[in-house]
Amino acid sequence: MILPLIASAAARTLDITLTADNSWEMFISSKTATESIVGPKDGDNGIQYGWNNTKKISRTIGDGPVVIGIKATDYGVVAGLFAHVKVDGQYFTHTGPANSKVYVSTAAVASDWYKLPYEPSKWQIASSTPACLNGEASWGQQFMKQLITLSGDNKEIKAVWGGPNSCNTLNSVQYFRILIPASAKCPKY
């Protein structure tokens, strides 16, 4: 289905597989409109923890630029995110590597942080570092199978727990952005 919000003559398929500690809200925004998707929260549908439920979200988007904004909220100390993104069935990016196309801001953001225009200078690449991975040992490996199954990819997806390249910027809310450029060409691997 093409979303009336962001449809155009040349449609593309967007697949996002994600989970966050503890919950997430995702925004898919074009130049003209935004769709909001709320992920599972602790206690929803009998699940103890929202992060215990990896989701795959598929949407048809137009050929213009699209921003994916994800607000991860933790009910304790630090919010974490696992995410994998495909465009037209081809790998686009995922959380963890130093060259990820996922950006993070652990500071306060403007109310329209998930919309265009996309200003990466105010954001930093969301990459994991060994010091940040202690939480990954407790729930990261548990969900790798879910992420691999749902995304159809065996890339080593890492959680982004703290700020970029540092666990000294722990926040219970973190904001993530991914820009899908106009008619994005995805690398084949």
Side-chain angles (χ1 to χ4, degrees):
M1 157 177 107
I2 296 178
L3 294 173
L5 303 174
I6 51 182
S8 72
R12 298 178 290 169
T13 302
L14 174 65
D15 295 309
I16 307 160
T17 306
L18 74 156
T19 189
D21 181 8
N22 284 74
S23 63
W24 54 267
E25 182 174 11
M26 179 170 56
F27 304 89
I28 303 173
S29 299
S30 71
K31 288 182 179 178
T32 58
T34 299
E35 177 186 11
S36 173
I37 303 161
V38 177
K41 294 180 175 63
D42 290 5
D44 284 356
N45 301 318
I47 58 173
Q48 184 177 4
Y49 301 111
W51 52 262
N52 200 6
N53 199 345
T54 303
K55 293 288 184 192
K56 181 177 182 179
I57 309 295
S58 297
R59 294 292 186 267
T60 302
I61 59 174
D63 64 351
V66 172
V67 172
I68 302 165
I70 302 167
K71 177 183 176 184
T73 303
D74 183 72
Y75 305 141
V77 178
V78 60
L81 174 71
F82 278 98
H84 181 279
V85 181
K86 287 183 178 180
V87 177
D88 287 336
Q90 297 295 315
Y91 166 78
F92 184 74
T93 195
H94 66 279
T95 52
N99 64 346
S100 176
K101 294 179 180 107
V102 181
Y103 287 80
V104 63
S105 175
T106 56
V109 294
S111 61
D112 61 351
W113 63 273
Y114 52 83
K115 295 181 179 179
L116 292 166
Y118 188 77
E119 297 179 27
S121 63
K122 296 181 180 179
W123 298 72
Q124 297 177 309
I125 293 175
S127 61
S128 293
T129 62
C132 296
L133 301 180
N134 60 346
E136 194 167 291
S138 64
W139 66 275
Q141 295 304 314
Q142 181 179 353
F143 298 103
M144 286 307 296
K145 288 183 182 178
Q146 288 181 29
L147 283 160
I148 289 168
T149 300
L150 289 172
S151 70
D153 195 344
N154 64 358
K155 291 224 172 272
E156 189 175 345
I157 303 166
K158 298 278 189 191
V160 177
W161 285 93
N165 304 317
S166 171
C167 289
N168 296 325
T169 53
L170 304 178
N171 289 290
S172 60
V173 176
Q174 292 197 88
Y175 300 89
F176 299 90
R177 287 176 50 136
I178 304 163
L179 174 65
I180 309 294
S183 299
K185 301 291 185 212
C186 298
K188 295 191 180 201
Y189 60 98

